[in-house]
Structures are given as structure tokens and as C-alpha cells.
């Protein structure tokens, strides 16, 4: 194990500065995430999840299924409270853990690129196990649970569904699929950071800008959107996650679902095409998240700085 004394810089070496995690940064992250998920974020999430759970449906079939389930409100299933809890907390977890991991990686001698990816991956892992596991599970349950109303029965509410799962299956039940969420988050943040940086370098090369010159807002949106869109290569993990958390009725599914046997089940029943179901709305979701974080970031930054009285230093 590496101790703090071993990480101390040698004489003459530049001191690695630890960036403080400010309340203004957390407020900005939570605010932007809440806006993103409440606008187009949740409808795209519902479409992505519905397609991943019902792999014989195309895009229009998925839209029809969602509309039949509740009209316009069907596209916002799972928003309150699960998507709001996830949106308001995941940024804080990411910033705290990513900042710490990046700091110690730099102290150990890693360059900015490697320490940035490492910090993002560590933050993504923490996100999954701290809040995203049970939030994604409950959102998926809301989107895929059998509608008892079709039989004339009373539909259980959100909290009633949560408590029912907790009574029957405990903490494991409400965190079902959390390992798949963790794999997705780690690969998401690692590849999104790396691919966005590659895209930025390409844009700088085309426009003749050096490393010190700031990219314009459209250029930053393009780089981040490319990074977010291309990071959807790991969609099979997302489909596995949805299948593990889904409440749809299928007697052929494994009784005790793990990432490995769920992957085999999805591949066996739906092939490679099934493993990439829902990738189009997921790419759209990545682009929308980018637009919110980059295009609205500066406006939101000014509002947060006025409200808190401290400068925002986070890069969202």
C-alpha cells in the first residue's frame, strides 16, 4: 500500500495542488443534472430502457408501448423520486471521489490525461454503488413492472413497490444489477473522457488552435457529444443491466441472475442485435447531457456564483 509520505514530491519537483470540492460546484452539478433529466433526459431514458427490456420492439414499437402505458406521462415514469434522487446526488459523489483519485494519481506520478481518466473511473464506480444502483433498479422496475390495472386491480404506487421489493428481497433486491451499473459507469467515464479528449485534439488540429487556446462553445459541444456518443460501445452492459433489473415476466430467464449468465441469456434469445437494443436513444441522451452541461454551463455558473458568493471551478 502506498503511504502519504511515499507520495510526497521530491525536492525541486512541482507540488501537486489538491483542488477543493466546493458547495458551488456540487450545486451546479446537481442543478444541471436535474434540468437535463426533467426535460429530455427521462423520456430518452425510458425509451432506451423499454427497447432494452423488449428487444423485439423497434423504435416506433417502443414509443407505442410507452404511450399505451400512460400517454405523455408514460415517458416520465421513474422520474419522481428515483431519477431526481440520482440526478441530485451522482454529481456530488463523482466530484468528491474523482477529485481525490485524480489528486493521488498525480502524486504517484501519473500525467493529467491518465489521472483524469483514473479519477473519472473511480468516481463512476463510487456513483454506481452509492446511489445509482438502487435508483436505476427502481426506475427500471417502474418502466417494466406488470400493469395490474389491465386486470382491473389496483396499481401499487412507487413507494409501495419499493417497500414490497425490500420486504421480499432486502437490500440485494433494490440493488439488483448494481455490478452491471458499476461496469457501465467505469467504462462510460473512462471512454467518454478519453474519446472527448481525442475529439478535442482533432478539432484543435483542424482549426489550428494550440493547447492553451480555449475551444468555443459549439466546438466543446461537438467534442463532448462525439465522446458521449462513441462511448455507447458498451451498450451490451446496459442491456444486461436492464434485463437484470426488469420485472417483465419470462420463465426462461436465469433464476439467480449474474452479469455473466444474463449476458448469455440476452445473446441466446436476441443475438448481437439484442445486445445493442436502445443504443440510438442512448446516443441521443449522451448528446442532450452534453448540450445541458456545456451550453447551459456558463449561464448556470453565473447563477450559482451569485447565489453562493463563491467562484465555481468545476468543469461540467
Amino acid at each position: 500500500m502506498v503511504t502519504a509520505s511515499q507520495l510526497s514530491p521530491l525536492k525541486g519537483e512541482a507540488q501537486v495542488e489538491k483542488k477543493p470540492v466546493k458547495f458551488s460546484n456540487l450545486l451546479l452539478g446537481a442543478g444541471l443534472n436535474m434540468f437535463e433529466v426533467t426535460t429530455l433526459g427521462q423520456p430518452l431514458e425510458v425509451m432506451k430502457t423499454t427497447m432494452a427490456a423488449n428487444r423485439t420492439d423497434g423504435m416506433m414499437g417502443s414509443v407505442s408501448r410507452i404511450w399505451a402505458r400512460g400517454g405523455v406521462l408514460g415517458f416520465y415514469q421513474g422520474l419522481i423520486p428515483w431519477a431526481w434522487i440520482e440526478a441530485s446526488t451522482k454529481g456530488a459523489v463523482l466530484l468528491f471521489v474523482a477529485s481525490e483519485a485524480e489528486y493521488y494519481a498525480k502524486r504517484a506520478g501519473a500525467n493529467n490525461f491518465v489521472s483524469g481518466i483514473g479519477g473519472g473511473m473511480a468516481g463512476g464506480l463510487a456513483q454506481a454503488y452509492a446511489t445509482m444502483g438502487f435508483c436505476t433498479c427502481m426506475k427500471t422496475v417502474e418502466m417494466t413492472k406488470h400493469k395490474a390495472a389491465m386486470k382491473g386491480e389496483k396499481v401499487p404506487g412507487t413507494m409501495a413497490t419499493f417497500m414490497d421489493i425490500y420486504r421480499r428481497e432486502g437490500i440485494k433486491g433494490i440493488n439488483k444489477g448494481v455490478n452491471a451499473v458499476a461496469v457501465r459507469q467505469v467504462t462510460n467515464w473512462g471512454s467518454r473522457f478519453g474519446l472527448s479528449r481525442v475529439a478535442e485534439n482533432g478539432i484543435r488540429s483542424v482549426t489550428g488552435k494550440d493547447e492553451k487556446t480555449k475551444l468555443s462553445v459549439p466546438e466543446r459541444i461537438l467534442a463532448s457529444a462525439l465522446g458521449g456518443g462513441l462511448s455507447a460501445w458498451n451498450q451490451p452492459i446496459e442491456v444486461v443491466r436492464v434485463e437484470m433489473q426488469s420485472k417483465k415476466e419470462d420463465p426462461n430467464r436465469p433464476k439467480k441472475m449474474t452479469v455473466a449468465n444474463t449476458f448469455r441469456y440476452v445473446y441466446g434469445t436476441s443475438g448481437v442485435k439484442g445486445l445493442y437494443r436502445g443504443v440510438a436513444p442512448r446516443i441521443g441522451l449522451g448528446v442532450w447531457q452534453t448540450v445541458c452541461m456545456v451550453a447551459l454551463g456558463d449561464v448556470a455558473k453565473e447563477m450559482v456564483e451569485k447565489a453562493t458568493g463563491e467562484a465555481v471551478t468545476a468543469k461540467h
Side-chain angles (χ1 to χ4, degrees):
M1 187 172 172
V2 182
T3 63
S5 60
Q6 287 174 308
L7 291 172
S8 297
L10 299 171
K11 229 176 187 180
E13 283 186 359
Q15 176 75 43
V16 176
E17 195 177 332
K18 189 172 185 178
K19 293 176 186 174
V21 177
K22 299 181 178 180
F23 172 71
S24 55
N25 292 351
L26 303 181
L27 186 59
L28 176 64
L32 288 171
N33 274 303
M34 287 287 281
F35 174 81
E36 175 269 317
V37 77
T38 308
T39 50
L40 282 178
Q42 190 61 11
L44 288 166
E45 177 75 22
V46 171
M47 287 175 65
K48 176 190 73 171
T49 302
T50 303
M51 289 179 74
N54 303 280
R55 291 179 295 278
T56 54
D57 290 355
M59 182 77 78
M60 292 314 297
S62 175
V63 169
S64 300
R65 186 185 289 271
I66 297 164
W67 186 265
R69 206 160 54 198
V72 173
L73 293 179
F75 289 90
Y76 287 90
Q77 271 191 303
L79 176 67
I80 302 170
W82 312 117
W84 277 5
I85 292 172
E86 184 185 327
S88 60
T89 57
K90 69 179 183 182
V93 174
L94 176 72
L95 276 174
F96 274 120
V97 178
S99 176
E100 288 293 307
E102 188 172 354
Y103 170 69
Y104 284 107
K106 283 182 179 177
R107 295 266 317 251
N111 61 28
N112 287 340
F113 185 65
V114 173
S115 58
I117 289 179
M121 290 172 76
L125 193 67
Q127 273 184 337
Y129 288 108
T131 58
M132 285 189 74
F134 82 88
C135 286
T136 58
C137 183
M138 292 311 302
K139 283 192 296 180
T140 305
V141 166
E142 286 293 307
M143 295 170 207
T144 59
K145 69 182 179 183
H146 177 63
K147 288 293 177 185
M150 293 172 72
K151 296 181 179 179
E153 299 168 20
K154 187 181 176 183
V155 181
T158 297
M159 292 313 296
T161 303
F162 177 85
M163 291 310 298
D164 180 53
I165 294 171
Y166 182 73
R167 276 192 298 268
R168 286 186 291 107
E169 304 174 54
I171 295 292
K172 279 188 176 180
I174 59 174
N175 270 291
K176 198 174 285 181
V178 69
N179 291 332
V181 175
V183 174
R184 187 196 73 177
Q185 286 304 99
V186 168
T187 52
N188 255 7
W189 281 105
S191 57
R192 184 174 278 202
F193 184 98
L195 291 166
S196 295
R197 180 58 64 90
V198 169
E200 278 182 18
N201 290 342
I203 290 168
R204 289 183 188 282
S205 176
V206 170
T207 58
K209 292 181 178 177
D210 58 29
E211 280 290 326
K212 293 178 183 177
T213 308
K214 196 175 178 182
L215 294 178
S216 66
V217 169
E219 287 169 342
R220 283 160 59 206
I221 288 175
L222 177 60
S224 297
L226 284 169
L230 291 171
S231 66
W233 64 266
N234 66 0
Q235 181 64 9
I237 297 297
E238 176 69 355
V239 173
V240 166
R241 188 273 300 174
V242 170
E243 190 61 46
M244 290 177 77
Q245 296 174 341
S246 174
K247 284 293 173 185
K248 71 174 189 178
E249 295 168 4
D250 184 353
N252 298 317
R253 290 202 304 175
K255 298 297 177 195
K256 276 195 170 184
M257 301 184 84
T258 65
V259 173
N261 69 20
T262 307
F263 184 93
R264 286 195 296 270
Y265 165 74
V266 173
Y267 179 73
T269 56
S270 309
V272 174
K273 195 175 179 181
L275 288 167
Y276 281 90
R277 272 291 183 215
V279 72
R282 185 172 168 206
I283 290 170
L285 184 60
V287 172
W288 179 240
Q289 287 171 339
T290 297
V291 169
C292 289
M293 296 297 167
V294 178
L296 300 177
D298 292 337
V299 177
K301 200 181 272 189
E302 286 179 22
M303 292 171 66
V304 168
E305 285 177 344
K306 282 180 184 175
T308 62
E310 62 179 29
V312 175
T313 56
K315 292 179 182 178
H316 288 285

